[in-house]
Amino acid sequence: MENEIQARAAHLAGIRERAEAEMARMGIDAAFIDRLVDTFYGRVQAHPRLGPVFDGRLAGRWPDHMEKMKRFWSSVAFKNGAYGGKPVQAHLGVEGMAADLFPEWLALFSQTLSDIAPSMEAKDWFMATAERIAKSLTLSLFYNPALDDPARKTV
């Protein structure tokens, strides 16, 4: 049992080390994660459609959300386990949340990365990751499999 625990710890450490090396090669460090989150969510707050939805949920709690998002992106980029939340549950029941907001979120994220990413490879990595996150959230929040039931299709 102790050997299994040690092997798992070594395996996880290896995953973190490889992720950190990959991020470093692209120019990504903790300071970039902070800058990305601060810049992006500053733009979200000023966005005519995204701002009201986010502010409706986060009014008075923006600093907490920013720290949570820094932990989230750090966890995703560096595989360090810094984030332990439940993104789908966090977005359930958000007033004004709509599937058509995700493309706007992605466009704003892309523009932010174009402005501040240290390399094209970093921009591409973060965009691919954000697109997977947006797709996952969209499917989790808005997809109804019953609508794809062939028995319900009309010719």
Side-chain angles (χ1 to χ4, degrees):
M1 179 76 159
E2 188 172 322
N3 285 342
E4 289 175 24
I5 292 170
Q6 290 173 342
R8 176 128 175 93
H11 176 72
L12 293 174
I15 290 170
R16 281 191 304 275
E17 288 170 14
R18 287 188 296 279
E20 289 171 3
E22 179 185 12
M23 290 299 117
R25 187 178 49 74
M26 289 189 275
I28 302 301
D29 59 11
F32 173 76
I33 299 290
D34 288 352
R35 183 173 178 216
L36 174 62
V37 170
D38 289 339
T39 304
F40 175 66
Y41 282 101
R43 292 175 179 188
V44 164
Q45 290 177 54
H47 191 276
R49 289 196 64 215
L50 297 171
V53 173
F54 276 79
D55 201 48
R57 179 70 162 214
L58 298 172
R61 297 183 307 113
W62 274 101
D64 292 339
H65 182 69
M66 301 291 276
E67 288 307 311
K68 185 181 289 186
M69 291 300 91
K70 290 174 184 178
R71 287 191 311 274
F72 172 81
W73 282 106
S74 177
S75 184
V76 170
F78 301 116
K79 311 266 190 277
N80 62 15
Y83 176 80
K86 297 179 180 179
V88 173
Q89 288 83 348
H91 291 85
L92 284 172
V94 173
E95 188 174 333
M97 177 73 74
D100 69 340
L101 290 176
F102 284 92
E104 293 186 51
W105 182 89
L106 285 168
L108 193 60
F109 196 72
S110 179
Q111 184 58 55
T112 302
L113 288 167
S114 291
D115 292 343
I116 69 168
S119 67
M120 183 55 75
E121 189 177 12
K123 178 186 178 189
D124 291 345
W125 188 92
F126 276 89
M127 274 312 301
T129 303
E131 287 166 355
R132 283 192 305 275
I133 292 165
K135 183 176 183 177
S136 176
L137 283 172
T138 300
L139 288 171
S140 297
L141 297 171
F142 303 107
Y143 176 66
N144 180 349
L147 297 177
D148 285 340
D149 183 350
R152 296 180 57 128
K153 300 279 184 197
T154 57
V155 179

